[in-house]
Amino acid sequence: MLKIDLHAVEKIIREIGATEIMPRFRKLAAGDVHMKGKDDPVTVADREAERKLTERFSDYLPGSMVVGEEAVSADKDVLVHLGGDTPVWIIDPIDGTRNFVSGKPEFAVMVALAQKREPVASWIHDPNSGDTIMAEQGGGVWLRGKRLQLAAKEPGFKPFGLVGSRVKQLISDPSIMPAGPEVPEFEIGSCAGFDYPRLFTGEATFANADTKRAGFLFYRHTNPWDHVPGLFLHREAGGYSADWTGRPYDMAEPRGGLILAADKDEWVRLHHLFRPVMRHVVKNADWDW
């Protein structure tokens, strides 16, 4: 099994956050922001942070490859590294770029290290607070030296979840998703880098955020840099996740859609509950297995 020093990598991420991201926060000039697509901004901070992280991780683990969001935006062929045997770093230099551009502090650096399509370690770092949630295979999930547990497994936890903005409007449409007492409370997440940390509870709280803890996540889009780091943390804490077809998430060939829950029984319940939404999105799909 590929071994890594979690804290050494955390230090690299922390340094890049402090030198390439935070000095530009709330100080972006007009020429520092560009649009990759509709409602999909990228900033000089995204690009410079990814460039520096790529350099540092390549030096730290010689022979490893890097799949970064901005590199993929420029060249889709970069994705081929996810399916190979060589260790690969998966990077989202700023998850929540829209928040970053708007001056909102809900953005994070997301990193995972994988080999043979399987993550072996991951980090979610908040440059504002300096917090980093991290985990390595079989070692639990940690924040500020404290081991974290899934909030949904705490006694008395009331079902509550976070959903992507693209599916929230479908869940809220009674012609698609009939209202009923079995529908749990939910809200739109701020970004994956802040949604995933809300799955955990313990003595430490990510980004010092006094936000409601979540028991499940429900997403439509599943880019590896947005989800591999958080999925790994969730799994290491004992959670259960699968794509909308019920299959394990495949970073090299994501089929679309994700549900994360505390355990398989809860996943099955949520999958059945949200089936009208999934059928609306993916026409003529067979959701039985």
Side-chain angles (χ1 to χ4, degrees):
M1 183 175 67
L2 185 65
K3 297 295 290 184
I4 208 78
D5 184 334
L6 285 178
H7 295 286
V9 175
E10 178 197 16
K11 182 179 179 182
I12 293 172
I13 299 170
R14 182 188 300 272
E15 289 175 358
I16 301 306
T19 59
E20 301 299 332
I21 296 175
M22 291 310 296
R24 295 180 169 99
F25 183 44
R26 296 173 176 160
K27 297 178 182 178
L28 292 170
D32 292 339
V33 183
H34 304 276
M35 300 302 294
K36 294 185 290 185
K38 183 180 179 181
D39 199 28
D40 188 13
V42 61
T43 73
V44 63
D46 294 84
R47 290 172 171 160
E48 286 303 303
E50 183 170 306
R51 184 176 68 83
K52 291 290 188 178
L53 287 168
T54 297
E55 291 176 357
R56 296 288 297 275
F57 290 156
S58 298
D59 289 342
Y60 178 79
L61 188 60
S64 61
M65 307 304 294
V66 176
V67 172
E69 178 180 5
E70 308 315 327
V72 172
S73 178
D75 180 6
K76 294 294 190 294
D77 288 343
V78 172
L79 288 168
V80 72
H81 299 310
L82 294 174
D85 293 340
T86 302
V88 57
W89 301 92
I90 302 165
I91 302 173
D92 190 340
I94 301 180
D95 182 75
T97 299
R98 286 191 296 274
N99 291 337
F100 182 79
V101 171
S102 300
K104 300 175 182 178
E106 290 83 15
F107 58 87
V109 183
M110 303 183 74
V111 176
L113 178 63
Q115 188 171 31
K116 298 181 179 179
R117 297 190 179 199
E118 285 293 327
V120 297
S122 75
W123 302 257
I124 298 180
H125 174 70
D126 170 34
N128 281 281
S129 68
D131 277 344
T132 307
I133 293 183
M134 53 188 168
E136 62 181 332
Q137 199 166 36
V141 182
W142 298 85
L143 171 63
R144 291 188 231 133
K146 306 290 186 181
R147 188 163 185 165
L148 304 184
Q149 308 296 330
L150 289 178
K153 295 190 176 184
E154 292 285 300
F157 181 83
K158 183 180 179 181
F160 171 77
L162 301 171
V163 304
S165 58
R166 294 173 179 84
V167 298
K168 195 269 182 182
Q169 62 186 33
L170 298 177
I171 299 174
S172 303
D173 185 341
S175 69
I176 298 172
M177 180 83 184
E182 70 279 8
V183 178
E185 184 184 354
F186 65 89
E187 67 184 33
I188 296 177
S190 57
C191 67
F194 266 66
D195 292 353
Y196 279 101
R198 289 177 65 179
L199 293 169
F200 301 95
T201 190
E203 294 182 34
T205 305
F206 182 74
N208 302 310
D210 184 22
T211 50
K212 194 170 184 177
R213 302 295 97 183
F216 72 88
L217 302 180
F218 181 33
Y219 292 113
R220 168 68 181 94
H221 294 286
T222 55
N223 290 320
W225 44 87
D226 290 327
H227 295 286
V228 174
L231 282 167
F232 180 74
L233 294 174
H234 181 253
R235 186 178 75 187
E236 286 299 306
Y240 184 86
S241 63
D243 68 19
W244 286 4
T245 70
R247 297 181 178 90
Y249 177 82
D250 184 344
M251 66 177 70
E253 299 181 52
R255 283 173 289 269
L258 271 173
I259 299 176
L260 290 85
D263 53 41
K264 187 172 182 178
D265 287 344
E266 178 64 4
W267 187 95
V268 170
R269 187 187 75 82
L270 291 167
H271 185 267
H272 178 76
L273 180 66
F274 291 129
R275 188 167 297 196
V277 171
M278 295 183 288
R279 285 193 181 277
H280 183 84
V281 173
V282 185
K283 303 295 184 183
N284 302 316
D286 179 5
W287 297 108
D288 299 319
W289 58 87

